[in-house]
């Protein structure tokens, strides 16, 4: 269970990215975070695995306050939290297999990396992860030879290597076309439903949100302005919509 | 209103007057301070350069002009300018009544100026040439400098007169043009650019140049077939001596027979004129017909010379292979210890055509060896540069280092651990290395052991102590951990302060008080420094408290960058001189120089490559729980491989180029050979070296360019 309490982030230049945000995510939830660009979605996700240090507030992950842990402890916690990114963040010049294997680094002795050693068992695990996202045949291609959709599947496979209990997805489909978007979110939904992995995902398109979310929170200027269940987001009113996205916003839909 | 402001019509005579006395003053008074300042600065600079050029007289007697002559030029050209301006004013005042005159005034004035210059300038040069015996070029540059100075002065007065605080100042185009012209003219003089000399002396260069440009004759050995016949002659010839026997003709072999075989040496009188000794009749045969033979005289020690002035030395051989000639016994300097009769030798030598053997000459072999030495020097320096600069480059990459922070306690633990660990490593090395034979018997092994122990223990102790103190600070009550931090920082501060105090005594006080005074003062300044450092350290730790952190990464980054910048701003040739002082002349000194410069240059290029990578993969790997080392290996290294390869090739290219000339200062390789040959006027051999360098560099250029094209 993830509990976020009074989370505030102020960047060094004085920008207030998050202001007193509190919410709770039960295990097995598919939580979608909505809001305009710059509303603090990315900052929120990165505070949860402390890629960004929160300024104030607490984040409890299964009872442990991860804002107070040491660096070494934080690395152990990060192993349980996978992350996928809008721009995939693959090492373009490395092979697909190596990219997937790097998801396992948190479990391996660090000096192995000096001789670029991965045990056979881990390589089999990586192949299995790639098979699961349907691109086992691309294992030995360079990552920059893949299409956008394939790259994001490599990103998911990398996260799967961590055997995560939770996946943070930072606008995972914003760089993809609608068909691919459904395919990627489909994978996340399968993981969510079959392995009970909690998913925290920021999304732009309302119909994708309505299709996949079991719970929704809305951010505006770093503040939590909306909290709703699956049923509530499917019946979102114009007033609520404009409260999240501003008065000039128009509801768009994406195909599929 | 009595006075009406007419800014355009009436020039300000006051400002003009001020600017006449001090350039730029009038402008400053009118409110244009920076304009006035620049004008003053320019005039001062230009005059300063002119005075400097004039003062070069003692260094370059041929190429200078006395200050008086310069002042005379200024005065004369000022008078000329005033005269011209007066004419211009008169023309404007009286001749410009009609439209035509108004239109024609400016062109006419320019023509007038050119005519006047054409008439006066050569006359002035002439005057100076005959009066002061100066070189033409210097008369010309001085004249031009004087003109430009006066023109700037005049422009400045004109400008001051027309400047109004209420208006936007007009452009300074004229001023800049004049300034640039003046500096270029003075530059010509100071750099001693002299086209006439270059053209005049080119002719004499031709011979030497041709030997350098096409030196291939000395690259090979030539065999010379020689036919030699000898005859022994005794000199002087005291009565009762038994002369050597007269040689008899031998069939199928060259022979020479001389009569008599015993005689008196020639002598020289006080004026150097020879007083001839015994005349020898020489007959010989068995040589190649219709060619010349050459006569040589060998003294009793066997040193042969051509006895010019005592008879013909090049004698034609008849069709039957024989010849006859006559020769006075030459004057031979005989060591005073060798008294009495000596046996000399007459040699008849007939040289055949020089034959190409296809073997390389000694010089060519030397040059090739030295070239190989140079190439290897560049290669080794590049290899050592890569090994040393890669770790440094990670420490000098802002994006990796800026995230590193530590607590006060961690910092103290780290510093103490680093220094203590390094010292422990040295002790362990002292204990361990005698077992493998020490520095004399196993230098490389000993060096490696020391390197591993010192670095390894330092890093280990740095991590352990840093972590121990950090976690102690977390678990102990706040006042105790704050106390640890304060005490530790005081200790570190005291050590640094102690060293700075010592440095102050020897470095600063040593200048004013001499070495003895510095030694006397050192204990006090060191203690004072330690106390001050301890106080500052403790104060800093107290201010930081337990929560805030020290940006250790930024500190390391700044330090490494500073070291790299210093290393790079000292040229390899200077480093080579230091290397020669350190390890003596030879390729090792050159290697040291090139390595130091390579580390500095590559370190900067590498770290900039690291700074420009995509941060996404780093973020992704951190999110998986990978630590710093794993993140660097899997997210940074793959991204920096292409730029690293390109920079390494580029550096290799530079290193081989540099290695060919680093020998000029004693760094070994082909440059060493080249400078020696040039000093010995062996221009053909020097030409060989130049050719080898050119070929190597061109080949390397091509190779590295094509590799770079393929790899990057």
């Amino acid at each position: 269970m993830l509990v976020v309490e009074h989370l505030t982030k102020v960047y060094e230049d004085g920008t207030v990215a998050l202001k007193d945000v509190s919410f709770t995510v039960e295990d097995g939830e598919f939580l979608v975070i909505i809001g305009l660009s710059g509303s603090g979605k990315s900052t929120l996700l990165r505070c949860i695995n402390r890629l960004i240090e929160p300024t104030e507030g607490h984040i409890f992950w299964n009872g442990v306050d991860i804002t107070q842990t040491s660096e070494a402890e934080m690395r152990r916690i990060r192993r349980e939290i996978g992350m996928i990114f809008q721009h995939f963040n693959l090492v373009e010049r490395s092979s697909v297999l190596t990219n997937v294997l790097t998801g396992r680094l948190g479990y391996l002795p660090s000096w192995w990396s000096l001789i670029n050693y991965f045990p056979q068992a881990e390589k089999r695990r990586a192949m299995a992860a790639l098979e699961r996202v349907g691109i086992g045949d691309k294992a030995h291609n360079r990552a920059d030879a893949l299409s956008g959709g394939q790259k994001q599947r490599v990103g998911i496979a990398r996260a799967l290597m961590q055997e995560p209990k939770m996946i943070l997805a930072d606008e995972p489909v914003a760089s993809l076309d609608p068909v691919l978007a459904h395919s990627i979110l489909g994978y996340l939904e399968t993981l969510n439903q079959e392995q009970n992995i909690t998913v925290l995902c920021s999304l732009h398109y309302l119909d994708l949100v309505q299709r996949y979310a079991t719970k929704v929170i809305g951010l505006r200027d770093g503040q939590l302005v909306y909290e709703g269940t699956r049923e509530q987001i499917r019946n979102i009113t114009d007033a609520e919509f404009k409260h999240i996205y501003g008065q000039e916003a128009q509801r768009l839909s994406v195909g599929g | 209103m009595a006075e009406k402001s007419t800014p355009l019509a009436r020039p300000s005579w006051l400002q003009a007057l001020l600017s006449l006395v001090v350039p730029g003053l009038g402008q400053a008074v009118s409110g244009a301070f920076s304009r006035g300042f620049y004008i003053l600065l320019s005039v001062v600079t230009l005059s300063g350069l002119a005075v400097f050029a004039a003062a070069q007289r003692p260094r370059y007697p041929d190429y200078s002009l006395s200050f008086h002559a310069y002042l005379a030029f200024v005065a004369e050209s000022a008078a000329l300018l005033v005269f011209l301006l007066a004419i211009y004013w008169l023309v404007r005042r009286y001749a410009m009544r009609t439209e035509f005159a108004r239109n024609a005034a400016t062109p006419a004035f320019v023509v007038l100026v050119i005519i006047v210059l054409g008439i006066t300038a050569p006359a002035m040069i002439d005057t100076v040439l005959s009066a002061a015996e100066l070189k033409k070029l210097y008369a010309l540059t001085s004249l031009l400098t004087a003109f430009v100075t006066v023109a700037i002065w005049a422009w400045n007065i004109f400008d001051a007169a027309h400047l109004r605080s209420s208006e936007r100042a007009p452009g300074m185009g004229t001023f800049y043009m004049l300034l640039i012209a003046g500096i270029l003219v003075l530059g010509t003089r100071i750099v001693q650019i002299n086209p006439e000399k270059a053209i005049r002396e080119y002719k004499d260069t031709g011979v030497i140049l041709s030997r350098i440009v096409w030196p291939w004759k000395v690259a090979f050995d030539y065999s010379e077939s020689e036919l030699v016949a000898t005859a022994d002659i005794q000199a002087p010839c005291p009565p009762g001596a038994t002369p050597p026997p007269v040689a008899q003709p031998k069939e199928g072999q060259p022979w020479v027979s001389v009569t008599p075989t015993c005689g008196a040496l020639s002598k020289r009188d006080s004026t150097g004129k020879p007083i001839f000794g015994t005349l020898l009749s020489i007959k010989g045969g068995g040589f190649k017909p219709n060619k010349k033979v050459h006569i040589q005289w060998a003294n009793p020690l066997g040193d042969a010379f051509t006895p010019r002035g005592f008879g013909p030395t090049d004698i034609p051989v008849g069709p039957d292979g024989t010849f006859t000639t006559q020769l006075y016994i030459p004057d031979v300097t005989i060591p005073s210890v060798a008294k009495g009769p000596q046996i000399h030798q007459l040699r008849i030598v007939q040289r055949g055509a020089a034959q190409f053997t296809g073997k390389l000459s000694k010089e060519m072999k030397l040059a090739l060896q030295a070239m190989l030495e140079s190439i290897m020097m560049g290669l080794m320096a590049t290899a050592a540069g890569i090994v040393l600069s890669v770790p440094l480059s990670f420490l000098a990459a802002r994006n990796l280092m800026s995230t590193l922070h530590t607590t006060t306690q961690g910092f103290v633990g780290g510093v103490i651990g680093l220094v203590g660990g390094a010292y422990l490593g040295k002790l362990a090395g002292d204990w361990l290395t005698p077992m493998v034979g020490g520095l004399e018997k196993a230098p490389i092994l000993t060096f490696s052991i020391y390197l591993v122990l010192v670095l390894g223990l330092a890093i280990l102790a740095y991590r352990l102590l840093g972590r121990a103190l950090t976690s102690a600070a977390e678990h102990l009550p706040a006042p105790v951990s704050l106390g640890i931090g304060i005490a530790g920082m005081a200790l570190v501060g005291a050590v640094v302060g102690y060293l700075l105090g010592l440095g102050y005594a020897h470095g600063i006080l040593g200048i004013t008080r001499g070495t003895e005074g510095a030694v006397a003062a050192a204990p006090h300044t060191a203690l004072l420094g330690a106390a001050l450092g301890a106080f500052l350290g403790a104060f800093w730790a107290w201010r930081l408290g337990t929560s805030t952190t020290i940006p250790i990464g930024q500190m390391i980054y700044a330090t490494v960058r500073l070291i790299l910048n210093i290393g790079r701003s000292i040229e390899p040739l200077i480093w080579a001189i230091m290397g020669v002082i350190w390890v003596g002349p030879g390729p090792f000194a050159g290697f040291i120089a090139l390595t130091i410069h390579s580390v500095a240059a590559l370190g900067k290029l590498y770290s900039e490559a690291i700074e420009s990578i995509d941060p996404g993969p780093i973020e992704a790997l951190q999110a998986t729980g990978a630590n710093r080392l794993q993140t660097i290996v899997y997210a940074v290294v793959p991204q920096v491989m292409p730029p690293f390869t390109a920079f390494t090739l580029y550096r290799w290219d530079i290193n081989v180029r540099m290695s060919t000339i680093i020998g000029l200062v004693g760094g070994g390789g082909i440059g060493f050979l080249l400078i020696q040959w040039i000093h010995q006027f062996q221009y053909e051999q020097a030409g060989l070296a130049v050719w080898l360098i050119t070929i190597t560099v061109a080949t390397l250029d091509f190779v590295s360019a094509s590799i770079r094209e393929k790899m990057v």
Side-chain angles (χ1 to χ4, degrees):
Chain A
M1 194 171 76
L2 181 75
V3 181
V4 175
E5 283 181 359
H6 307 295
L7 191 66
T8 297
K9 173 64 189 178
V10 184
Y11 284 107
E12 274 175 31
D13 61 2
T15 315
V16 181
L18 292 175
K19 208 185 290 173
D20 195 24
V21 174
S22 302
F23 62 95
T24 303
V25 188
E26 299 294 336
D27 285 346
E29 202 110 54
F30 197 120
L31 175 89
V32 173
I33 305 162
I34 55 175
L36 289 171
S37 297
S39 61
K41 301 192 298 291
S42 290
T43 306
L44 175 61
L45 286 171
R46 281 168 175 74
C47 279
I48 289 170
N49 62 2
R50 255 177 69 192
L51 286 179
I52 292 174
E53 291 289 336
T55 314
E56 271 171 44
H58 298 277
I59 301 167
F60 294 97
W61 166 240
N62 293 336
V64 180
D65 184 356
I66 62 176
T67 59
Q68 300 298 319
T69 57
S70 72
E71 257 184 63
E73 216 171 320
M74 192 59 227
R75 282 202 296 273
R76 279 193 292 280
I77 294 170
R78 279 179 187 162
R79 298 195 304 204
E80 300 177 347
I81 305 173
M83 189 162 189
I84 59 176
F85 304 85
Q86 178 186 355
H87 298 295
F88 325 126
N89 286 1
L90 303 183
V91 182
E92 299 276 315
R93 284 175 48 82
S94 296
S95 72
V96 167
L97 189 66
T98 307
N99 268 294
V100 176
L101 281 167
T102 56
R104 198 67 186 167
L105 286 173
Y107 293 91
L108 304 176
S110 68
W111 66 270
W112 282 6
S113 63
L114 284 179
I115 52 170
N116 192 21
Y117 173 72
F118 287 101
Q120 281 304 319
E122 300 298 352
K123 287 185 185 170
R124 279 195 294 276
R125 191 198 297 272
M127 283 306 297
L130 280 172
E131 296 289 350
R132 233 171 113 189
V133 294
I135 47 170
D137 55 325
K138 302 280 184 195
H140 298 288
N141 289 26
R142 259 169 63 148
D144 54 8
L146 302 188
S147 68
Q150 290 169 329
K151 282 181 183 174
Q152 194 57 292
R153 288 195 241 175
V154 176
I156 294 175
R158 178 170 64 191
L160 284 179
M161 288 295 281
Q162 296 173 237
E163 298 183 312
K165 299 202 174 81
M166 175 164 72
I167 287 180
L168 308 174
D170 183 17
E171 297 184 17
V173 297
S175 309
L176 303 175
D177 65 47
V179 180
L180 283 171
H182 273 293
S183 134
I184 293 297
L185 287 173
Y187 279 117
L188 289 179
E189 190 178 42
T190 313
L191 292 172
N192 175 246
Q193 286 169 357
E194 289 179 3
Q195 298 186 24
N196 205 33
I197 296 174
T198 312
V199 176
L200 262 69
C201 179
S202 57
L203 284 179
H204 270 311
Y205 293 113
L206 199 58
D207 53 349
L208 291 176
V209 179
Q210 289 166 338
R211 161 74 183 74
Y212 292 102
T214 63
K215 189 183 171 186
V216 177
I217 57 173
L219 289 178
R220 184 176 168 187
D221 298 331
Q223 282 174 306
L224 194 72
V225 292
Y226 177 83
E227 202 161 358
T229 62
R230 178 189 279 257
E231 283 66 39
Q232 284 166 333
I233 192 70
R234 289 192 181 171
N235 303 309
I236 190 167
T237 62
D238 269 3
E240 283 171 329
F241 183 82
K242 292 206 163 152
H243 184 51
I244 302 168
Y245 287 106
Q247 288 306 314
E248 277 116 71
Q250 296 289 321
R251 285 166 82 158
L252 271 178
S253 89
V254 66
Chain B
M1 253 185 159
E3 223 170 25
K4 200 181 167 190
S5 169
T6 51
L8 267 178
R10 286 180 62 86
S12 163
W13 294 112
L14 175 69
Q15 287 176 20
L17 192 67
L18 287 173
S19 277
L20 173 67
V21 181
V22 179
L25 188 60
Q27 283 85 346
V29 164
S30 87
F33 284 106
S34 58
R35 190 185 184 97
F37 175 72
Y38 287 134
I39 290 170
L40 180 64
L41 192 72
S42 307
V43 171
V44 168
T45 309
L46 211 60
S47 315
L49 279 175
V51 171
F52 170 78
Q56 276 187 316
R57 189 180 173 79
R59 259 182 83 202
Y60 306 109
D62 280 1
Y63 296 102
S64 69
L65 172 70
S66 75
F67 188 54
H68 298 292
Y70 171 72
L71 284 183
F73 275 135
V74 173
E76 280 178 47
S77 40
L80 187 63
L81 205 78
V82 168
F83 169 67
L84 291 176
L85 284 173
I87 291 177
Y88 186 54
W89 182 75
L90 282 174
V91 168
R92 276 184 63 135
R93 184 85 172 76
Y94 296 106
M96 281 173 60
R97 301 266 163 83
T98 66
E99 183 76 11
F100 169 77
R102 219 169 288 138
N103 287 337
T106 309
F109 180 66
V110 171
V111 170
L112 187 70
V113 168
I114 292 171
I115 291 171
V116 169
L117 275 180
I119 296 167
T120 52
M124 283 170 82
I125 293 170
D126 247 23
T127 319
V128 171
L129 270 179
S130 54
E133 294 182 354
L134 287 172
K135 298 284 176 197
K136 270 184 239 162
L137 184 74
Y138 279 83
L140 191 65
T141 52
S142 301
L143 193 66
L144 285 171
T145 313
F147 262 124
V148 169
T149 312
V150 170
I152 286 183
W153 209 298
W155 176 87
N156 140 69
I157 296 166
F158 172 83
D159 183 58
H162 290 85
L163 216 56
R164 290 290 173 280
S165 57
S166 55
E167 286 167 39
R168 203 173 156 273
M172 294 176 79
T174 317
F175 169 73
Y176 288 129
M177 295 288 276
L178 284 170
L179 188 65
I180 290 170
I183 287 173
L184 286 182
V185 167
L186 275 170
T188 309
R189 166 105 165 259
I190 291 169
V191 181
Q192 302 177 36
I193 293 170
N194 190 345
E196 187 218 335
K197 192 174 181 181
I199 294 165
R200 177 160 39 81
E201 299 191 359
Y202 170 73
K203 289 195 291 289
D204 306 336
T205 324
V207 180
I208 293 170
L209 212 59
S210 71
R211 285 157 73 188
I212 292 178
V213 167
W214 199 249
W216 296 106
K217 223 157 62 179
V218 299
F220 298 99
D221 261 343
Y222 295 87
S223 69
E224 288 190 350
S225 55
E226 275 185 346
L227 294 177
V228 181
T230 61
D232 289 346
I233 287 126
Q234 183 180 322
C237 199
T242 41
V246 177
Q248 294 305 310
K250 291 170 212 158
E251 204 50 49
Q253 267 187 24
W255 57 269
V256 61
S257 87
V258 182
T259 48
T261 58
C262 179
L265 291 173
S266 296
K267 289 189 176 62
R268 283 182 195 274
D269 64 13
S270 54
T271 61
K273 259 182 74 181
I275 304 162
F276 291 117
T278 312
L279 184 66
L280 303 175
S281 295
I282 303 167
K283 246 188 345 194
F287 290 91
K288 285 205 174 127
N290 302 325
K291 283 190 150 183
K292 281 184 175 172
V293 291
H294 183 72
I295 292 187
Q296 286 188 334
W297 190 271
N299 68 13
L301 296 172
D303 295 334
F305 62 95
T306 305
R308 285 184 222 286
F310 299 95
T313 54
D314 288 306
I315 301 116
V317 179
D320 56 346
T322 63
F323 71 91
T324 55
T325 184
Q326 285 186 320
L327 182 79
Y328 292 104
I329 297 181
D331 69 321
V332 179
T333 316
I334 294 188
S336 53
V337 289
K339 290 222 168 73
Q342 305 280 332
I343 301 295
H344 298 246
Q345 198 176 53
L346 182 81
R347 287 185 187 170
I348 309 297
V349 180
Q350 190 180 37
R351 293 205 177 96
Q355 281 205 317
F356 181 72
T357 59
K359 283 182 192 155
L360 295 179
S361 67
K362 200 177 82 198
E363 287 82 6
M364 186 64 184
K365 282 181 190 160
L366 258 177
L368 284 172
Q369 278 172 14
M371 193 67 240
L372 184 68
E373 197 175 283
S374 275
I375 295 174
M376 292 311 282
M377 198 200 300
L379 201 66
M380 291 304 291
T382 312
I386 297 168
V387 171
L388 295 172
S389 63
V390 165
L392 280 180
S393 68
F394 283 92
L395 297 181
R398 189 192 284 273
N399 56 343
L400 298 184
M401 299 305 286
S402 62
T403 56
L404 261 184
H405 288 80
T406 181
T407 57
T408 322
Q409 291 80 7
F411 177 73
V412 169
V415 171
I416 295 174
L418 202 65
V419 176
Y423 186 67
L424 272 182
K426 188 202 166 284
L427 287 185
D430 290 344
W431 173 73
L432 203 65
T433 48
M435 294 182 193
V436 298
L439 202 57
E440 283 80 31
K441 285 183 188 163
I444 291 181
L445 190 62
T446 305
F447 181 72
S448 313
I449 289 175
Y450 269 115
L451 195 72
V452 169
L453 281 176
V454 171
L455 273 185
L457 283 180
I459 291 172
L460 197 69
Y462 162 80
R463 297 211 66 161
L464 286 181
L465 218 59
R467 276 187 191 177
L469 280 188
T470 307
S471 75
E474 275 168 17
H475 294 104
L476 290 171
V480 179
S481 63
L482 184 64
I484 294 175
I486 290 176
M489 284 301 283
L491 183 66
V492 173
V495 172
V496 173
Y498 184 83
L499 293 176
L500 281 179
L502 278 184
Y504 172 75
H506 289 282
I508 309 291
L509 292 184
I511 298 172
T512 52
R513 298 190 193 175
T515 312
E516 282 167 25
V519 169
H524 308 293
T525 55
L527 276 182
L528 194 70
L532 210 65
F535 174 74
L536 284 178
F539 182 71
W540 195 32
W542 175 68
R543 282 294 305 274
L544 284 174
T546 46
S547 56
T548 40
T549 54
I550 299 175
I552 183 76
Q554 286 283 356
M555 289 160 74
I556 297 174
Y557 163 82
T559 315
V560 175
R561 269 292 165 99
L562 181 72
I563 294 171
L564 292 182
N565 284 340
I566 292 172
R568 215 175 51 254
S569 42
I570 299 174
E571 279 294 305
L573 281 179
I574 312 289
W575 282 120
I577 291 169
M578 297 185 203
V580 169
I581 295 169
W582 185 8
V583 297
F588 187 38
F591 164 79
I592 289 176
L594 289 178
T595 303
I596 292 175
H597 202 259
S598 296
V599 169
L602 281 179
K604 177 169 180 282
L605 291 174
Y606 285 170
S607 59
E608 276 167 4
I610 295 172
E611 280 173 5
S612 65
I613 61 169
D614 172 18
I618 298 178
E619 188 184 36
L621 260 67
Q622 280 174 345
T624 68
N627 67 16
R628 183 165 283 271
L629 176 70
Q630 291 167 326
T631 310
I632 286 175
V633 171
Y634 287 104
V636 179
V637 171
Q639 291 197 64
V640 297
M641 280 314 276
F644 272 34
T645 315
F647 290 139
T648 307
L649 276 171
Y650 169 65
R651 190 65 216 178
W652 176 54
D653 199 324
I654 291 176
N655 275 347
V656 175
R657 275 165 207 267
M658 282 307 302
S659 74
T660 59
I661 59 159
I662 207 139
L664 298 186
V665 296
I670 195 149
F672 196 50
L673 217 50
L674 175 64
I675 198 78
Q676 278 181 340
W677 277 332
I678 288 175
H679 285 160
Q680 292 166 6
F681 305 110
Q682 292 181 304
Y683 290 116
E684 273 120 336
Q685 284 82 345
L688 281 183
V690 171
W691 265 95
L692 285 182
I693 291 173
T694 312
I695 292 169
T696 307
V697 169
T699 313
L700 187 82
D701 236 17
F702 175 73
V703 171
S704 74
S706 55
I707 295 178
R708 219 173 306 164
E709 219 165 75
K710 269 179 201 144
M711 293 198 65
V712 186

